[in-house]
Amino acid sequence: MAETLKIASDLEEARRLEESILRQASEKGYTDSELFAIKLALEEGLTNAIRHGNRLDPDKTVEVSYEVTNEHIHIDIADQGPGFVPCDVPDPTADENIEKPCGRGIMLMRVYMDEVEYNERGNRVHLLKRKL
Amino acid sequence: MLIGSEPLEIRVEDVDLATIVTIEGSAGIYNAERFVGVLAKVQREGRPVVILDIAGMTFISSRGLGSMVSLARDRRDREGHVRLVNPTRQIRELLSATRLMQILPVYETLDQAMIV
């Protein structure tokens, strides 16, 4: 059953939530590689929501819905920021961007998860990873 | 222990022309800033050659990767370089997916990385 909760724009709260989700996935037998992928996507999604979406504003929250089953894990992360257009983010693996320190988070989510979809406003990301 | 929840330990030492940074554990969401801070200090104060021994590092996100990129670019501009030592399979895959081995070359041992 899916669970939905709100956390403050706070990295320690995000860490606790991340550990809770990963623990549930570990208990369901997800491999270390799958757990690494889920952790990476969670970190990128939560960091984007807290830092870029809510801009660390303590009055804003991040809503996270997730479900961990024996077949897949899905996670929705929504912030209260203005959103963005994912297609506008340059490809960080292109030669002209390879030395830029930022801009790899969305690409990593796409590489490590089976589905990554944003809503139209660009302030909610849906992540899905299928269990092997 | 859950993967990527290991405590982060960082040691910095100067050896000849190189600064060796030994990193163990996870540079995850809560302690990535400490990792970024240490690399920023190495960027300001370290030697021309920087060796990041990450054999014991279990996790890094784009935030930590970005600080490595900044350090590599800075050292290249100063005619130095940054090298990585023996990353785990998962971090190797991360470096491959991001194509960062182009600017952060990987060596299998510290001795190999120290050879000029």
Side-chain angles (χ1 to χ4, degrees), chain A residues 43-44 51 93 95 99 101, chain B residues 29 33 62 66 73 76 99:
Chain A
E43 297 238 345
E44 302 299 345
R51 285 188 179 281
T93 65
D95 287 342
E99 292 193 348
Chain B
I29 195 165
E33 292 314 305
S62 65
R73 191 173 59 186
R76 187 209 55 206
R99 298 184 67 216

Side-chain angles (χ1 to χ4, degrees), chain B residues 46-91:
Chain B
R47 304 277 165 90
V49 171
V50 178
I51 310 293
L52 302 178
D53 184 345
I54 57 173
M57 189 177 205
T58 57
F59 182 82
I60 187 169
S61 66
S62 65
R63 180 96 174 125
L65 288 174
S67 66
M68 286 185 179
V69 169
S70 292
L71 180 60
R73 191 173 59 186
D74 176 82
R75 281 304 181 270
R76 187 209 55 206
D77 291 347
R78 297 173 192 224
E79 301 185 348
H81 54 252
V82 176
R83 292 173 174 174
L84 305 182
V85 176
N86 195 20
T88 62
R89 177 179 57 81
Q90 284 153 339
I91 292 180

Side-chain angles (χ1 to χ4, degrees), chain A residues 106-120:
Chain A
I106 296 169
M107 183 275 284
L108 288 175
M109 287 193 283
R110 293 195 195 284
V111 168
Y112 279 84
M113 300 301 273
D114 293 308
E115 290 179 13
V116 178
E117 293 169 3
Y118 281 87
N119 65 352
E120 192 172 349

Side-chain angles (χ1 to χ4, degrees), chain A:
Chain A
M1 195 173 74
E3 186 165 349
T4 300
L5 46 90
K6 285 184 181 174
I7 63 169
S9 298
D10 177 83
L11 295 176
E12 172 60 17
E13 280 206 43
R15 184 188 65 80
R16 282 198 292 268
L17 171 62
E18 178 190 296
E19 283 197 7
S20 171
I21 295 172
L22 288 171
R23 196 168 303 284
Q24 292 176 49
S26 177
E27 287 167 1
K28 289 201 178 292
Y30 284 73
T31 65
D32 278 355
S33 289
E34 289 167 335
L35 293 172
F36 186 95
I38 295 163
K39 179 178 174 66
L40 185 61
L42 264 171
E43 297 238 345
E44 302 299 345
L46 288 169
T47 302
N48 282 347
I50 291 171
R51 285 188 179 281
H52 305 303
N54 289 352
R55 298 191 178 278
L56 293 167
D57 183 342
D59 294 329
K60 291 182 176 173
T61 57
V62 176
E63 183 179 281
V64 180
S65 302
Y66 68 94
E67 183 179 41
V68 184
T69 75
N70 290 320
E71 290 78 39
H72 67 261
I73 177 168
H74 85 72
I75 306 158
D76 280 17
I77 302 170
D79 61 60
Q80 297 180 308
F84 74 111
V85 181
C87 296
D88 288 350
V89 178
D91 176 4
T93 65
D95 287 342
E96 64 271 24
N97 298 324
I98 205 81
E99 292 193 348
K100 291 181 180 170
C102 304
R104 293 180 178 81
I106 296 169
M107 183 275 284
L108 288 175
M109 287 193 283
R110 293 195 195 284
V111 168
Y112 279 84
M113 300 301 273
D114 293 308
E115 290 179 13
V116 178
E117 293 169 3
Y118 281 87
N119 65 352
E120 192 172 349
R121 179 171 148 189
N123 71 332
R124 174 184 289 270
V125 64
H126 167 77
L127 306 167
L128 183 131
K129 180 79 174 173
R130 294 185 188 89
K131 186 169 179 283
L132 291 177

